[in-house]
C-alpha cells in the first residue's frame, strides 16, 4: 500500500516497506526530522496506518470481543489505544479505536492493516459489518511541542487544547474530517482522518507551518518514551506482560479473544520482562545475548542510535529480577546500563498550550 501523498514528497525521499505498506522513512535529514519532532512541530504521513470500520447492530459487541480493552462505552467524541490479540494471547496489532455514531473505526499500526483485517474477518459475526476504508480515507499526523500552534493556524485554535484522546468531527477547507488529540512521541500530538482526495491539500497546508518527519524519526521518538512499536517488540511467543504492553489490556473484561492466555500469564507471573538500556558501542542486532555476571539472562529485542541520548538505546527482554533501572549488564561483550522510562523527557511536558 503506497501513500496517497507520494507525489508531494521530495524527490530524494527514502522509502521502505513496513509490513504491507510502503512508507517514507525520511524526507531529508534524519537528525533534522528528529529535532523538529522534539523541538518544534512535525507533520507525519500516516497513510501506512489502515482504517477499518465496524458498523451494524452488533458492531460494539463484536469490537468488545476482538479488542483487549473495554470499548463498550466508547463514545463518538473519544478514542483509545488497545491491543488486538489472537487466541494464544499473541499480539495481532495495536490499534487506535475511534468511537463513531454507527460503530467504531480502527486505525492499525504502521504496515499491520492487512493482518488486522484478516484477523477481524476470521472472527466476523452476524450483525457486524467490517469494511476497509483505506481506499477513501487516510491519516495525517501533527506532533511536536509546538504542534498546537499549527492546529490553530491550519484549522481552529480551540481544537489545540482538546483533552487527550478526545475526538471532534470538524471541517477543513469545506471538507469533513475527524480530528483527534492523540500522539505517539510524548509531545503534543494530533491526528486528522481525511478523505484521500483532500489529503494532498491538507498535507500542503500543514507544510506551510511544520516540517515533514518520516517513520525513522517517529519510531525513535516513540522508543524514547517507551511507546510500544509492535513490529519490533511483539516477538513470537512473548506474552503481553513480557512485552510490557499489559496496560493495553483490560483483564477485568468478561471475555475477549486471547483473554485466557493473558489471564494465565498474569496469574503465573512467568516469563521475562522488557527493560531499556544504553551504553554499548554500535547497535546490537535483535537476539544478541544479554549477560549478568557471565550468565545468560536475556536477549536484545530492538536497538537504535538515539539522537536524543547521543548513544545506543535499546530494549532487552531479561529475567524479571533484572528488569530495573541502574543495573550493569553486558551486551555483545560491552557493558550497558538499564534505564527507567521515559528515556527522554519530552519538551511538551514543560510547555503549556497558549
Amino acid at each position: 500500500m503506497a501513500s496517497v501523498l507520494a507525489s508531494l514528497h521530495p524527490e530524494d525521499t527514502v522509502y521502505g516497506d513496513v509490513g504491507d505498506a510502503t512508507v517514507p522513512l525520511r524526507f531529508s535529514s534524519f537528525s533534522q526530522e528528529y529535532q523538529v519532532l522534539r523541538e518544534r512541530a512535525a507533520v507525519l504521513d500516516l497513510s501506512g496506518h489502515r482504517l477499518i470500520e465496524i458498523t451494524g447492530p452488533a458492531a460494539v459487541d463484536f469490537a468488545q470481543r476482538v479488542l483487549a480493552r473495554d470499548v463498550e462505552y466508547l463514545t463518538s467524541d473519544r478514542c483509545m489505544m488497545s491491543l488486538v490479540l489472537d487466541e494464544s494471547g499473541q499480539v495481532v496489532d495495536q490499534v487506535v479505536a475511534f468511537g463513531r455514531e454507527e460503530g467504531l473505526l480502527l486505525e492499525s499500526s504502521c504496515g499491520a492493516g492487512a493482518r488486522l483485517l484478516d484477523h477481524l474477518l476470521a472472527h466476523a459475526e452476524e450483525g457486524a459489518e467490517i469494511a476497509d476504508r483505506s481506499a477513501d480515507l487516510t491519516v495525517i499526523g501533527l506532533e511536536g511541542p509546538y504542534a498546537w500552534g499549527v492546529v490553530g493556524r491550519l484549522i481552529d485554535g480551540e481544537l489545540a487544547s482538546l483533552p487527550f484522546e478526545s475526538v471532534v468531527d470538524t471541517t477543513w477547507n469545506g471538507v469533513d474530517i475527524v480530528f483527534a488529540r492523540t500522539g505517539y512521541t510524548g509531545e503534543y500530538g494530533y491526528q486528522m482522518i481525511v478523505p484521500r482526495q483532500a489529503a494532498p491539500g491538507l498535507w500542503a497546508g500543514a507544510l506551510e507551518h511544520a516540517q515533514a518527519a518520516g517513520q525513522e524519526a517517529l519510531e525513535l521518538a516513540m522508543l524514547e518514551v517507551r511507546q510500544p512499536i509492535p513490529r519490533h517488540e511483539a516477538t513470537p511467543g512473548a506474552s503481553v506482560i513480557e512485552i510490557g504492553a499489559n496496560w493495553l489490556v483490560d483483564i477485568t473484561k468478561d471475555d475477549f479473544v486471547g483473554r485466557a492466555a493473558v489471564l494465565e500469564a498474569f496469574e503465573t507471573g512467568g516469563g521475562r520482562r522488557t527493560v531499556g538500556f544504553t551504553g554499548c558501542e554500535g547497535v546490537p542486532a535483535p537476539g544478541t545475548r544479554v549477560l549478568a555476571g557471565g550468565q545468560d539472562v536475556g536477549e536484545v529485542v530492538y536497538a537504535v542510535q538515539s539522537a536524543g541520548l547521543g548513544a545506543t538505546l535499546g530494549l532487552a527482554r531479561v529475567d524479571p529480577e533484572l528488569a530495573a533501572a541502574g543495573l550493569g549488564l553486558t551486551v555483545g561483550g560491552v557493558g550497558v546500563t538499564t534505564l527507567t522510562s521515559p528515556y527522554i523527557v519530552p519538551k511538551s511536558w514543560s510547555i503549556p498550550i497558549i
Side-chain angles (χ1 to χ4, degrees), residues 32 34-42 143-147 187 211 347-348:
Q32 288 179 357
Y34 171 82
Q35 184 177 28
V36 165
L37 266 173
R38 286 290 183 222
E39 298 293 333
R40 296 191 293 279
E143 298 220 16
Y146 296 103
E187 307 293 354
Q211 181 178 324
K347 187 173 182 177
S348 297

Side-chain angles (χ1 to χ4, degrees), residues 24-39:
L25 300 179
R26 58 185 179 277
F27 297 97
S28 54
S29 161
F30 167 76
S31 60
Q32 288 179 357
E33 293 177 16
Y34 171 82
Q35 184 177 28
V36 165
L37 266 173
R38 286 290 183 222
E39 298 293 333

Side-chain angles (χ1 to χ4, degrees), residues 228-246:
I229 308 173
R231 73 187 189 99
H232 295 303
E233 300 182 47
T235 54
S239 71
V240 296
I241 297 176
E242 290 176 295
I243 294 170
N246 41 301

Side-chain angles (χ1 to χ4, degrees), residues 38-313:
R38 286 290 183 222
E39 298 293 333
R40 296 191 293 279
V43 57
L44 307 168
D45 179 352
L46 301 179
S47 55
H49 297 209
R50 191 170 298 204
L51 294 164
I52 301 172
E53 190 174 54
I54 305 173
T55 57
V60 175
D61 289 342
F62 173 71
Q64 187 75 336
R65 186 166 67 86
V66 295
L67 271 66
R69 291 189 69 190
D70 192 339
V71 295
E72 184 175 2
Y73 301 106
L74 185 63
T75 58
S76 59
D77 61 353
R78 301 293 296 172
C79 65
M80 64 187 298
M81 195 173 286
S82 175
L83 290 181
V84 176
L85 306 173
D86 65 16
E87 286 77 1
S88 65
Q90 297 293 287
V91 176
V92 174
D93 196 15
Q94 176 182 313
V95 303
V96 179
F98 294 83
R100 300 280 81 198
E101 292 291 346
E102 63 280 6
L104 289 91
L105 185 66
L106 303 184
E107 177 190 344
S108 77
S109 65
C110 185
R115 183 173 68 248
L116 174 64
L117 181 60
D118 288 346
H119 176 80
L120 296 176
L121 292 173
H123 290 81
E125 58 187 41
E126 187 176 352
E129 301 296 326
I130 303 165
D132 184 354
R133 296 295 307 279
S134 302
D136 52 275
L137 296 173
T138 194
V139 188
I140 295 174
L142 289 168
E143 298 220 16
Y146 296 103
W148 54 269
V150 178
V151 172
R153 292 188 289 272
L154 185 64
I155 306 176
D156 185 340
E158 292 188 3
L159 296 177
S161 57
L162 285 174
F164 186 64
E165 295 188 333
S166 292
V167 180
V168 172
D169 291 293
T170 187
T171 61
W172 169 82
N173 225 17
V175 177
D176 292 334
I177 67 172
V178 177
F179 183 91
R181 171 80 184 276
T182 57
Y184 297 102
T185 66
E187 307 293 354
Y188 290 122
Y190 309 88
Q191 284 191 356
M192 297 161 286
I193 299 175
V194 57
R196 285 175 68 92
Q197 66 270 22
L202 183 57
W203 176 261
L207 284 177
E208 294 179 7
H209 312 288
Q211 181 178 324
Q215 190 70 21
E216 289 182 343
L218 174 60
E219 288 192 351
L220 171 57
M222 291 170 66
L223 173 63
E224 289 175 341
V225 295
R226 196 60 187 95
Q227 175 69 235
I229 308 173
R231 73 187 189 99
H232 295 303
E233 300 182 47
T235 54
S239 71
V240 296
I241 297 176
E242 290 176 295
I243 294 170
N246 41 301
W247 61 280
L248 293 170
V249 174
D250 285 339
I251 197 64
T252 58
K253 279 178 62 174
D254 289 338
D255 189 33
F256 59 86
V257 176
R259 183 179 185 275
V262 172
L263 186 60
E264 181 181 0
F266 270 85
E267 290 175 343
T268 61
R272 287 174 162 167
R273 301 292 186 271
T274 301
V275 66
F277 69 86
T278 189
C280 58
E281 298 177 2
V283 178
T288 301
R289 307 316 301 173
V290 178
L291 305 180
Q295 300 296 311
D296 190 314
V297 296
E299 65 182 15
V300 173
V301 176
Y302 174 48
V304 295
Q305 183 69 22
S306 167
L309 292 177
T312 299
L313 174 62

